[in-house]
Amino acid sequence: MDENSFNFNHGNDIEHDGEGGAFLERRESNTSTYSDREGAVREPLLKSRVNTTSQIAIVGANVCPVESLDYEIAENELFKQDWRSRKRVQIFQYVILKWALALLIGFSTALVGFFNNLAVENIAGLKLLLTSNLMLADKHCQAFAAFAGLNMILAICAAVLCALIAPAAAGSGIPEVKAYLNGVDAHSILAPSTLLVKIFGSIFGVAAGFVVGKEGPMVHTGACIANLLGQGGSRKYHLTWKWLRYFKNDRDRRDLITCGAAAGVAAAFRAPVGGVLFALEEAASWWRSALLWRTFFTTAVVAMVLRSLIQFCKSGNCGLFGHGGLIIFDVNSAIPSYNTPDLLAIMLIGVLGGILGSLYNYLVDKVLRTYSIINERGPALKILLVIVVSLLTSCCAYGLPWFVACTPCPTGLDVQCPTIGRSGNYKIFQCQEGHYNDLASLFLNTNDDAIRNLFSSRNKNEFHFSSLFIFFTAMFFLGVITYGIAIPSGLFIPVILAGASYGRLLGRLLGSFASLDVGLFGLLGAASFLGGTMRMTVSLCVILLELTNDLLMLPLVMLVLLISKTVADSFNKGVYDQIVKMKGLPYMEAHAEPYMRQLVAGDVCSGPLISFSSVEKVGNIVHALRMTRHNGFPVIDEPPFTDAPELCGLVLRSHLLVLLNAKKFTKNRVLIRSELLRMFHAFDFAKPGSGKGLKVEDLDINEEEMEMYVDLHPITNTSPYTVVETMSLAKAAVLFRELGLRHLCVVPKTPGRPPIVGILTRHDFMPGHVLGLYPHIVPHKYA
């Protein structure tokens, strides 16, 4: 095969609008792996730019391609030689190291979670105490200036970190982790810089009083920690350890990052079982029993470490921490006993949560699209947007309590009323002695303390109807406009705050109708709003039960979550699914679209197909690598090595680059398989850490070497997954997703044709691509 045999067809670039935005398809050959390089997909939120990574659509960043991950084992001859040659002690080392890394992930994530809580509670606590002391001295203007000024300083610190150092750290990070575990390698979402900015940006953002949570970012933080530990060492920082080379592949990193995501939830909510179920239900696209054990072990480590640290803090060694951190909302004081009217009230809460949750998701979608226009104009405008939202939040938190009347302190309390000089409820604010401001008890507190107050069963009349309604409205809309600015921000806490407030409000309104306590109504309201926004059921149910230490609420929480999810699903998708789609991440759904049943695999394969002979001229390979972005190429065995052309397998771009860089060429077209097997080891072709691998520009090959030949047999995956061209596209899509593939070879149905029709990649299953090829097909919601 010579260079002239390549037909790259560069003149056929076309654009077409697909679901979720415009797609740019380079019709060189979507049967090769340009379709794997999702850089061809245009960012729906930034129509003037090429697709970028996760937060790009929200806070802006550098343009970069999005590729798929190699979760499939490349069973080439080098891999088989390495697998057969491994001794029992090496296998033992691998197993022990994997469990040791799971232990380190759990331990490290627990320490980071504890540090986050410690920092937020002390920084926010000092800020609130300063404001309270100034209020007690009747220095109201100075109190607002101190409150808003400190909030703004903390907000600017978080914004500068995100806008200038790691834009990928903005947002919750859960959609990006979900996409990574689906097989999407978005740039820098798990980088060390992202981890550092995520930790400190989250501390500054939450302490600044924004209506955001530190719990969502903990999932991203845990995944970043797992990715850092599983890199196989770092040559740049001289941290390479020979044993860690076992984990220099996407499959093992996927397992570790799944453990990290579960550990993040466990550290955020002190919910180890909920963390495992969150990883299973929401994060991971691929699961197996061994992974269940490993994630359970990781979250158990998190729970034990946090328990030890909390016991240490109870002795008063952690400053203000202990008055509110590491949330657990004990509502056991009210024993739930319910009857038929109670169940009707609970069903009403579920329906209301579904409606409000879908409305919340709709508004978040619109706000993110609006913010993208601002954020793409540069770091200065990102920081300015953060300052504006910070001022608005401070004005609401400090100003709204002035509009409600003071309430006399109830008698017989076991806590001080009004609260002076510490965190908690019954804030005196501007009230006279013996009175408290119920709305200030919600606004001028940390998020954890505010949720405790709403879940409290001690005093059902603690909060007025008007205060609960004002707080719900403020949390709902401030939560919507805050998510999307250039700070790490989670959605769990804003949603819990809003849901608990309208749940408690309904409990007050239905007090004569239902027998449940208003604190339990607050918990059910939070559950309903969580189900309506995030569309999770099992994991949310367990997280809430672990969070409140109230197993007796299990049937009611289950009922509320099922109703709210069912109602909300009739309007739109879950918030994380919406954000994944908005950011242009090529996520493979668990089910195929109904219209895919009308097409077969061969319908989306277009040519010409770029393939190599099993012993190929070096110049042809270099030319193909330079002229295309494909990451996988079919290898065809041809005479004189076989009687007729047949599919030898699939070779990866990264493996070709390593082989070419070694310059083990021959002048004649001959097999040197055994010589190459002696020269190379499987680890020589392992994926480098942080994506820093060889590029075609790094090759130094002269004209004489271009005319030489190289044997591709040792690095060719001789058992790639294949489907016949007449298989339905829907069936192929489910197979592709369930097996976690990057390339799926399509072979002909009838003999006498070339041995391969094309290669299907992630992009070929994207709705925008398929509907662009066949615009006459009308997608239907139901089959």
Side-chain angles (χ1 to χ4, degrees):
M1 183 184 293
D2 56 27
E3 290 183 9
N4 294 329
S5 66
F6 291 103
N7 180 6
F8 296 108
N9 198 14
H10 288 299
N12 291 336
D13 289 358
I14 63 170
E15 288 191 11
H16 61 84
D17 289 329
E19 179 180 340
F23 287 78
L24 174 65
E25 180 200 4
R26 193 176 193 82
R27 297 298 296 279
E28 299 170 340
S29 169
N30 69 340
T31 57
S32 254
T33 62
Y34 182 80
S35 49
D36 162 69
R37 176 184 175 265
E38 296 300 335
V41 184
R42 290 214 174 190
E43 175 58 63
L45 296 183
L46 306 177
K47 301 218 180 232
S48 61
R49 296 171 57 182
V50 181
N51 179 41
T52 47
T53 180
S54 56
Q55 265 73 21
I56 311 305
I58 293 183
V59 299
N62 296 325
V63 175
C64 61
V66 176
E67 296 186 354
S68 294
L69 295 163
D70 291 301
Y71 289 153
E72 179 188 359
I73 296 176
E75 291 185 338
N76 52 41
E77 293 183 20
L78 280 168
F79 170 81
K80 293 176 182 177
Q81 176 180 268
D82 171 67
W83 179 72
R84 294 190 191 103
S85 64
R86 284 193 184 182
K87 300 177 182 178
R88 182 170 296 181
V89 64
Q90 291 176 310
I91 298 173
F92 181 75
Q93 287 173 357
Y94 170 76
V95 174
I96 293 298
L97 276 174
K98 204 160 188 180
W99 283 101
L101 284 175
L103 173 67
L104 285 174
I105 291 168
F107 185 78
S108 303
T109 307
L111 288 180
V112 170
F114 178 77
F115 172 72
N116 278 7
N117 280 276
L118 187 68
V120 168
E121 290 295 318
N122 282 282
I123 295 173
L126 289 173
K127 177 193 69 178
L128 294 171
L129 284 176
L130 175 61
T131 305
S132 177
N133 290 335
L134 289 172
M135 289 289 294
L136 288 172
D138 291 331
K139 298 178 180 179
H140 304 310
C141 293
Q142 292 94 322
F144 174 72
F147 180 72
L150 290 173
N151 281 345
M152 188 182 299
I153 291 171
L154 294 168
I156 291 173
C157 290
V160 168
L161 287 174
C162 273
L164 300 180
I165 298 177
S172 71
I174 293 177
E176 293 74 42
V177 174
K178 184 176 178 177
Y180 185 94
L181 294 176
N182 188 257
V184 180
D185 188 12
H187 179 68
S188 75
I189 62 171
L190 299 175
S193 59
T194 304
L195 171 62
L196 290 175
V197 173
K198 200 78 179 183
I199 294 171
F200 291 100
S202 178
I203 291 171
F204 292 140
V206 176
F210 284 114
V211 184
V212 297
K214 56 187 179 293
E215 285 69 27
M218 274 304 301
V219 177
H220 194 181
T221 300
C224 288
I225 291 171
N227 181 66
L228 187 63
L229 291 173
Q231 287 291 342
S234 171
R235 293 180 182 176
K236 179 179 178 182
Y237 299 106
H238 306 288
L239 296 174
T240 302
W241 190 27
K242 183 179 178 181
W243 284 9
L244 289 177
R245 64 185 182 178
Y246 294 127
F247 303 98
K248 300 181 85 169
N249 62 82
D250 289 332
R251 288 175 64 88
D252 284 317
R253 288 181 192 169
R254 172 185 62 185
D255 288 355
L256 294 175
I257 289 168
T258 303
C259 292
V265 175
F269 294 108
R270 289 173 63 186
V273 179
V276 175
L277 293 175
F278 176 86
L280 171 62
E281 181 179 6
E282 182 66 16
S285 298
W286 187 83
W287 199 262
R288 58 196 174 95
S289 58
L291 188 57
L292 179 67
W293 277 101
R294 198 164 284 114
T295 53
F296 186 68
F297 170 73
T298 307
T299 57
V301 171
V302 173
M304 289 187 289
V305 172
L306 286 180
R307 183 72 177 177
S308 302
L309 293 172
I310 291 170
Q311 290 298 118
F312 172 75
C313 281
K314 284 186 176 179
S315 58
N317 298 317
C318 301
L320 296 174
F321 182 80
H323 297 286
L326 281 173
I327 51 180
I328 183 165
F329 311 118
D330 193 348
V331 292
N332 258 336
S333 55
I335 299 175
S337 59
Y338 42 89
N339 47 38
T340 302
D342 294 323
L343 293 178
L344 293 176
I346 292 165
M347 293 172 67
L348 174 62
I349 290 179
V351 172
L352 186 60
I355 295 172
L356 290 174
S358 59
L359 175 62
Y360 192 88
N361 293 357
Y362 172 81
L363 294 176
V364 166
D365 180 286
K366 298 304 178 185
V367 168
L368 289 180
R369 294 182 183 276
T370 304
Y371 282 175
S372 67
I373 301 172
I374 301 171
N375 288 330
E376 71 172 332
R377 298 182 183 274
L381 284 181
K382 296 177 198 174
I383 297 171
L384 180 61
L385 180 60
V386 171
I387 292 173
V388 170
V389 175
S390 175
L391 280 174
L392 178 61
T393 304
S394 297
C395 290
C396 290
Y398 188 85
L400 290 177
W402 289 90
F403 294 96
V404 300
C406 294
T407 306
C409 287
T411 57
L413 290 177
D414 55 355
V415 295
Q416 180 184 3
C417 179
T419 299
I420 299 175
R422 61 176 180 82
S423 61
N425 47 3
Y426 300 115
K427 291 284 185 181
I428 189 170
F429 199 58
Q430 89 290 8
C431 299
Q432 65 271 31
E433 185 65 29
H435 290 70
Y436 71 96
N437 189 308
D438 59 342
L439 193 54
S441 298
L442 298 174
F443 274 119
L444 297 180
N445 252 324
T446 60
N447 292 334
D448 295 355
D449 279 329
I451 296 174
R452 279 190 187 83
N453 293 340
L454 290 169
F455 285 177
S456 172
S457 300
R458 297 188 186 94
N459 180 10
K460 68 176 183 178
N461 299 318
E462 181 178 348
F463 302 103
H464 296 295
F465 295 103
S466 57
S467 298
L468 290 171
F469 179 77
I470 292 171
F471 186 72
F472 162 70
T473 306
M475 289 298 103
F476 187 94
F477 289 104
L478 286 176
V480 167
I481 67 170
T482 304
Y483 192 84
I485 61 176
I487 62 169
S489 51
L491 286 170
F492 273 98
I493 293 301
V495 170
I496 291 176
L497 283 168
S501 55
Y502 77 70
R504 192 175 180 103
L505 177 60
L506 279 177
R508 290 288 307 277
L509 291 173
L510 301 175
S512 59
F513 177 74
S515 59
L516 284 178
D517 185 87
V518 289
L520 300 180
F521 268 104
L523 171 61
L524 295 173
S528 69
F529 203 13
L530 283 168
T533 53
M534 301 180 185
R535 314 296 163 81
M536 294 182 283
T537 52
V538 179
S539 56
L540 273 181
C541 182
V542 174
I543 288 172
L544 286 171
L545 293 177
E546 290 184 284
L547 200 63
T548 56
N549 194 27
D550 195 356
L551 190 60
L552 296 174
M553 291 294 292
L554 175 63
L556 302 183
V557 174
M558 290 174 64
L559 179 62
V560 162
L561 286 171
L562 288 171
I563 294 174
S564 61
K565 175 178 164 43
T566 303
V567 171
D569 279 340
S570 62
F571 294 101
N572 51 33
K573 290 186 175 182
V575 65
Y576 297 134
D577 294 322
Q578 285 190 171
I579 294 171
V580 165
K581 181 178 176 181
M582 280 190 294
K583 292 177 180 178
L585 297 172
Y587 186 84
M588 289 286 294
E589 298 288 350
H591 60 278
E593 298 291 339
Y595 59 79
M596 289 185 177
R597 298 172 191 164
Q598 306 173 36
L599 302 170
V600 295
D603 289 336
V604 294
C605 289
S606 61
L609 176 65
I610 300 174
S611 61
F612 297 131
S613 296
S614 56
V615 181
E616 184 60 84
K617 184 183 286 187
V618 173
N620 290 343
I621 299 175
V622 173
H623 182 68
L625 294 177
R626 286 175 178 170
M627 298 301 292
T628 71
R629 296 283 186 171
H630 304 346
N631 286 287
F633 300 87
V635 177
I636 308 297
D637 262 330
E638 297 175 328
F641 307 112
T642 57
D643 296 333
E646 63 181 38
L647 179 64
C648 177
L650 194 74
V651 65
L652 297 178
R653 168 184 283 264
S654 59
H655 293 181
L656 285 171
L657 290 171
V658 174
L659 186 63
L660 292 175
N661 193 55
K663 295 189 176 184
K664 299 303 176 184
F665 309 141
T666 58
K667 291 186 177 180
N668 299 317
R669 197 178 181 193
V670 295
L671 298 173
I672 56 169
R673 180 180 314 181
S674 57
E675 182 181 342
L676 290 174
L677 288 175
R678 286 195 300 270
M679 289 179 49
F680 289 104
H681 192 277
F683 291 124
D684 296 328
F685 297 86
K687 187 170 183 177
S690 302
K692 306 296 183 184
L694 274 174
K695 296 182 174 60
V696 68
E697 294 81 8
D698 300 328
L699 299 178
D700 182 19
I701 300 176
N702 58 40
E703 291 299 324
E704 181 182 355
E705 291 169 332
M706 286 285 195
E707 297 300 318
M708 300 177 75
Y709 292 87
V710 61
D711 186 0
L712 301 182
H713 282 102
I715 63 169
T716 299
N717 179 7
T718 55
S719 56
Y721 285 96
T722 59
V723 297
V724 70
E725 61 183 338
T726 54
M727 177 183 283
S728 73
L729 190 61
K731 193 173 181 179
V734 172
L735 176 70
F736 190 95
R737 203 255 193 189
E738 291 297 319
L739 295 175
L741 301 181
R742 186 176 187 178
H743 308 102
L744 182 61
C745 298
V746 181
V747 296
K749 175 77 171 177
T750 54
R753 296 168 57 191
I756 183 168
V757 175
I759 296 178
L760 294 176
T761 57
R762 182 175 296 269
H763 174 57
D764 296 306
F765 297 104
M766 293 296 105
H769 171 68
V770 177
L771 296 175
L773 291 176
Y774 299 95
H776 63 279
I777 293 179
V778 179
H780 296 285
K781 185 174 181 180
Y782 303 104

